[in-house]
Amino acid sequence: MRTEPLPSAADALLAEADALLARGRGRNAERLLAPFVGREPENAGAWQRMARARLDLGDLPGALLAAQAAWHLDPYGVESLFWLSRARSRLGDHAEAIAAAAAACREDPGNPRLHNRLAEAQLAAGLPTDAAEGLRCVADMARYDADLHVTYGMALFAIGRPLSAREALGRALAIDFGHAGARAALRRFDQAMSTAIDAASLALAADEFAESLRVHPGRPSPRRPGPGRDALGYVARVALAWFLAAIAGVGILEVTGLLIAPASLYLTLFCAAGAAGCVSTLARPASRRGAGG
C-alpha cells in the first residue's frame, strides 16, 4: 500500500504563512517567516511569502529586498518574478516591473495571473493601451479569471472605451458575483462618467482615470474615497435637492397667497441647503472637485 509522504516542517510553516496571508494577517505572517528565513535563507518560497507580507503591510523597501532574495535564488521561477514585478510597481520602478512580468509570461505563457500582473504593471506605468492590447486575446481564453477581466475593464476604460469596459466587468461578476474589485471599479466608472457629456469630456474622464491608476516614483498613491464617503455624498445631494425644492415650493405658495412664510423659515431652509451643499462637495473625490473648478 502506497502512502503519501508527510509534509516537512518547512512545508508546514509555509502552509501556515499562506493561511495567514489569505486571512489578511500580514504582520503575523512576517513574524512567522522572519526567523525561518534567518535559519534557511536559501528557501525561495519563504522569501516570496515574505515579499507578499511586506507588501500587504506597506513596507515597500522591505518587500523589494525579499522579492530580490527570492529572485536571486530562483531567477526563472514565475512566482519570484511575479513578486519582484509587484514590488517594483509599487515603488514606481516601472521598466523593471514590466520586464519581470514579461519574463514570467514567457516562462508560463498560459498563466492568466502572470498576464494580469503584466497589465497591472503597464497601467501603473501609464501605458493603458499596451495593457488593453496585451489582455485582448488573453481575456478570451481566461474565462475563469475574474481578476484579469477587472484589469482588462480598467484598461479599456482608461483608453476611452467605457461600454467595453463595463462588458469586461460584467464577465468578472458572472465568474464571481461578489467580486469586490469589480464592484469597486464600477463605482469608479460611475464617478468618472458623471462629468462626461460629450466626446471631449469622455476623453478627459478617461485620461483622468488612467492617471489615477499610475504610480509615481516617490509619491504615495492618492487615497480613494471609501463606500462610506460615497454614501454620505449621495445622501447630501438628495437632501440638497429636497431643500431647494422646499424653498421653491414655499416661494410659489407665498406668491399665490396660499401661505405667509416667516423669514425664519427661509433662513432655516437656506442654511440647511447650504450645509447639504458643503457636505456634497467635500464628499466628492478630489479629482472631480478640481475638474468642476
Side-chain angles (χ1 to χ4, degrees), residues 79 156 158-159 224 232 240-241 273:
E79 198 68 15
L156 288 170
I159 63 173
R224 301 186 182 103
L232 178 62
L240 175 61

Side-chain angles (χ1 to χ4, degrees), residues 19-206:
L20 290 170
L21 290 167
R23 297 200 300 270
R25 298 173 63 182
R27 178 67 65 192
N28 299 83
E30 184 190 38
R31 289 171 178 167
L32 176 69
L33 291 165
F36 179 74
V37 295
R39 294 192 307 269
E40 297 189 28
E42 73 286 353
N43 191 308
W47 285 114
Q48 293 161 4
R49 290 160 176 83
M50 180 67 86
R52 178 181 173 182
R54 288 175 174 172
L55 282 172
D56 288 350
L57 294 170
D59 178 8
L60 304 186
L64 179 59
L65 288 174
Q68 287 175 324
W71 177 69
H72 283 301
L73 292 166
D74 186 21
Y76 300 104
V78 296
E79 198 68 15
S80 296
L81 289 165
F82 178 93
W83 292 109
L84 180 63
S85 173
R86 197 160 190 177
R88 289 289 192 186
S89 280
R90 291 280 298 275
L91 285 164
D93 301 332
H94 299 304
E96 294 86 349
I98 291 171
C105 290
R106 289 193 296 271
E107 293 297 323
D108 187 2
N111 190 332
R113 176 170 173 260
L114 304 178
H115 289 281
N116 186 51
R117 168 85 287 272
L118 175 58
E120 288 176 336
Q122 290 165 334
L123 288 175
L127 302 171
T129 301
D130 292 351
E133 182 60 28
L135 290 182
R136 182 170 59 86
C137 296
V138 180
D140 291 334
M141 296 184 291
R143 297 186 180 276
Y144 55 88
D145 194 305
D147 291 340
L148 184 141
H149 288 284
V150 172
T151 304
Y152 187 36
M154 296 176 77
L156 288 170
F157 194 97
I159 63 173
R161 295 176 58 187
L163 296 180
S164 298
R166 287 184 180 276
E167 289 177 4
L169 293 187
R171 289 193 290 272
L173 291 172
I175 298 167
D176 179 2
F177 184 74
H179 195 283
R183 297 196 174 279
L186 283 173
R187 289 194 296 270
R188 294 183 64 189
F189 289 178
D190 290 339
Q191 290 174 354
M193 288 298 293
S194 65
T195 60
I197 57 175
D198 53 23
S201 56
L202 173 60
L204 179 60

